[in-house]
Amino acid sequence: MALTQYFILILCFAGVLSNSINISNGGENETQPFIEIGSKYYLINTATTMNWFGAVLYCRNYDSDLAVIESAAEMNALNFYLTTNEGHIGKNFWLGATDLADEGKFMSLKDGRPMLYAKWSGGQPDNRDQHEDCVHLWPVHDIFYMNDNNCMTKLYAICELRQPKKSCDVCDLKNLMERFMQHVSHCQN
Ligand SMILES: [Ca+2]
Ligand SMILES: [Ca+2]
């Protein structure tokens, strides 16, 4: 039994190490086509418009989630990028927030909790025609704000990586080492 546990631990340990090596060797290529904007890595799709559900699936296909803006700092960083990089201004981008489940209560798709941050455009969210349940970035005079829109409207998508911080790999390794040391001390007792 103990031998099996050690074997599993070694396999896990090897897996963590190989991940770390890939990241250190991969450098910037590791996160492509994601780009670092502020504290997160985003994939900004400007090739194909899709409805909100299509945008959710599109991001999942890249092991990411439809972006959820959680602070003014994130909003400002994204706004700056979108308004200073050609080809983004004038476009609308779906975000990972919706009040589909409970009208008026906008929830984050990422964690199922209420949206932490919102920068609504004037008069929004208005649930126009009682049919606007999905949140998107909307350029108003070249600055992006949020608006609720019909989920079937075809817009572009912004995805965000789930664990953008490379330091998380260090956390995983640290946790694994702690578990390993606990196991060793348990065996010695
Ligand atoms: Ca609504
Ligand atoms: Ca609206």
Side-chain angles (χ1 to χ4, degrees):
M1 185 62 184
L3 193 64
T4 310
Q5 284 173 339
Y6 272 116
F7 187 63
I8 290 168
L9 264 174
I10 288 164
L11 277 180
C12 293
F13 195 63
V16 167
L17 280 182
S18 66
N19 276 341
S20 303
I21 289 164
N22 281 343
I23 284 167
S24 59
N25 286 347
E28 288 301 306
N29 291 334
E30 184 69 23
T31 55
Q32 278 184 0
F34 289 80
I35 43 171
E36 189 174 6
I37 302 173
S39 60
K40 288 181 175 176
Y41 285 90
Y42 295 99
L43 169 58
I44 302 175
N45 165 271
T46 53
T48 316
T49 57
M50 54 201 106
N51 67 38
W52 187 81
F53 304 95
V56 170
L57 296 176
Y58 174 86
C59 293
R60 295 300 296 268
N61 194 35
Y62 283 93
D63 293 326
S64 65
D65 293 305
L66 202 50
V68 179
I69 299 171
E70 295 171 304
S71 69
E74 284 181 28
M75 184 72 194
N76 292 340
L78 206 50
N79 226 325
F80 182 76
Y81 182 87
L82 292 174
T83 52
T84 53
N85 283 271
E86 213 169 308
H88 296 108
I89 196 73
K91 290 184 166 65
N92 289 271
F93 300 93
W94 283 126
L95 295 174
T98 177
D99 73 336
L100 266 169
D102 194 357
E103 177 55 39
K105 291 183 181 172
F106 287 92
M107 308 296 281
S108 161
L109 188 68
K110 200 168 77 173
D111 56 17
R113 295 174 189 161
M115 274 173 81
L116 287 174
Y117 171 83
K119 185 188 177 188
W120 296 111
S121 176
Q124 304 299 336
D126 62 352
N127 196 39
R128 189 163 56 99
D129 300 330
Q130 289 76 54
H131 213 56
E132 293 194 329
D133 299 326
C134 293
V135 180
H136 69 106
L137 282 182
W138 189 18
V140 181
H141 302 304
D142 293 351
I143 296 173
F144 285 88
Y145 294 88
M146 294 179 189
N147 173 46
D148 56 341
N149 207 329
N150 185 323
C151 301
M152 299 312 286
T153 304
K154 291 197 169 182
L155 306 177
Y156 295 102
I158 297 183
C159 313
E160 67 174 59
L161 275 186
R162 285 175 194 152
Q163 291 185 327
K165 290 297 181 189
K166 289 171 187 172
S167 58
C168 288
D169 288 290
V170 178
C171 300
D172 289 346
L173 189 60
K174 184 168 166 278
N175 291 338
L176 187 63
M177 283 303 291
E178 280 172 2
R179 272 166 47 206
F180 180 74
M181 294 312 288
Q182 280 169 7
H183 185 72
V184 168
S185 65
H186 177 74
C187 292
Q188 285 171 342
N189 289 338

